[in-house]
Amino acid sequence: MSSERLIYLPLGGAGEIGMNAYVYGYGKPGKERLILVDLGVTFPDMDSSPGVDLILPDISWLKDRKNQLEAIFITHAHEDHVGAVAHFWQDLGAPVYARAFTANIARRKMEEMGHPGRVVQTVSAWPAKTEAGPFSVGFLPISHSIPESSGLVLDCPEGRLIHTGDFKLDETPIVGEAFDPVLWKEVSAPGVKALICDSTNVFSRHAGRSEVTVGPEIEKLVSEAKGMVVATTFASNVARVKTLALAGEKAGRSICLLGRAMRRMVEAAVESGVLDDFPTVINSE
Ligand SMILES: [Zn+2]
């Protein structure tokens, strides 16, 4: 029997919402070569953590083994998956891999904290693979409420693992890739040793509705409204921002994006090519 072993260690995110950080390792006990999947933050709430701005995962276990860490892979650009990369990059010092949109967001975060943006490397989607020690890692597109979300196909000497990342099975997501059941079936065909999967609404009995069903209702609301229409949404939900902007354009209105995160997300989506027909916006001043 091989004395090598495969390990999985969530430093955050398993069984909770927020601060996702998952370590996978393979090798002799204590000498495993490691990869980290996601490095996010979580947001406090008034009931349990009043006065706290941001909560970061405890990465001390990984920090003590930073010389075993091959790479960091980011599945998507939600704060609870990418938000702590710039905070901890200096402690870990490993290359960061993500697809174009996520990499764009991660680079902005790195540069804001005075780190070199170039440590974040852009990778292509499956079937492209990145080698990281005993792991070969592919980014498998999956629809979610942010563009270019990916599950990870992790091949190692023990077999194939699939880490789904966050997802919303949407075949018409407006922005970003549709869920492709054929592709997922194909990737699973050789056999999957473990599926690592987490879903916020797993206990809901209702199927999620596609983003494409939201547009007509929003168009109706915007066209019938008198005066200025103000809408709020997560800035990272680029598809929803686009749906709102298109509804405004259709109603003959001027569109204005308010807030730094909103402008940054749309900018990153245009720069990375996931958004190409966003209506012209006017300056808020
Ligand atoms: Zn997410």
Side-chain angles (χ1 to χ4, degrees):
M1 227 181 95
S2 158
S3 59
E4 262 105 20
R5 65 176 184 174
L6 173 66
I7 60 168
Y8 165 69
L9 175 66
L11 300 176
E16 64 184 343
I17 294 176
M19 56 178 184
N20 294 278
Y22 308 93
V23 176
Y24 290 88
Y26 182 80
K28 292 200 186 327
K31 294 197 163 60
E32 294 89 354
R33 299 306 300 170
L34 310 171
I35 58 170
L36 177 64
V37 173
D38 289 338
L39 189 48
V41 298
T42 197
F43 295 100
D45 61 71
M46 284 310 288
D47 296 329
S48 61
S49 42
V52 174
D53 292 327
L54 207 56
I55 301 170
L56 302 166
D58 178 358
I59 61 154
S60 45
W61 185 91
L62 190 57
K63 223 170 123 177
D64 291 344
R65 293 161 181 80
K66 65 179 272 191
N67 58 351
Q68 289 168 247
L69 181 64
E70 299 278 353
I72 301 168
F73 295 89
I74 308 295
T75 58
H76 65 290
H78 275 153
E79 282 296 309
D80 55 336
H81 294 259
V82 72
V85 167
H87 291 276
F88 287 140
W89 180 75
Q90 230 156 10
D91 293 330
L92 299 175
V96 179
Y97 296 97
R99 293 180 65 203
F101 173 75
T102 309
N104 187 306
I105 296 288
R107 262 181 224 118
R108 288 164 189 257
K109 289 180 177 298
M110 292 290 282
E111 282 159 8
E112 266 166 30
M113 293 196 77
H115 304 317
R118 64 184 147 70
V119 301
V120 182
Q121 299 181 37
T122 302
V123 293
S124 300
W126 182 267
K129 288 179 183 178
T130 302
E131 304 302 319
F135 293 94
S136 169
V137 181
F139 284 73
L140 197 60
I142 191 159
S143 43
H144 184 33
S145 53
I146 189 165
E148 271 189 356
S149 217
S150 299
L152 298 180
V153 181
L154 308 170
D155 285 325
C156 72
E158 286 277 343
R160 174 163 290 183
L161 312 174
I162 295 190
H163 180 107
T164 64
D166 291 356
F167 58 89
K168 174 190 173 188
L169 303 184
D170 190 342
E171 298 194 6
T172 46
I174 307 261
V175 174
E177 294 120 329
F179 174 61
D180 181 354
V182 176
L183 176 67
W184 278 73
K185 197 172 172 187
E186 196 184 291
V187 165
S188 319
V192 176
K193 188 172 178 70
L195 175 74
I196 298 88
C197 173
D198 196 1
S199 176
T200 311
N201 289 316
V202 69
F203 297 114
S204 167
R205 291 181 172 276
H206 305 285
R209 282 180 295 174
S210 170
E211 186 62 27
V212 83
T213 63
V214 181
E217 284 306 313
I218 290 181
E219 275 173 24
K220 210 170 137 222
L221 285 170
V222 173
S223 66
E224 287 171 2
K226 305 249 178 299
M228 183 188 285
V229 176
V230 179
T232 64
T233 180
F234 281 110
S236 57
N237 193 341
V238 177
R240 186 64 54 86
V241 176
K242 182 181 172 186
T243 299
L244 286 161
L246 288 177
E249 188 182 50
K250 217 166 170 179
R253 293 168 176 272
S254 302
I255 295 130
C256 178
L257 295 174
L258 287 177
R260 197 169 62 117
M262 195 62 84
R263 286 194 294 269
R264 186 166 60 180
M265 279 291 170
V266 170
E267 228 174 73
V270 171
E271 275 177 23
S272 57
V274 296
L275 187 62
D276 58 2
D277 48 357
F278 197 80
T280 312
V281 295
I282 57 165
N283 194 303
S284 57
E285 281 122 45

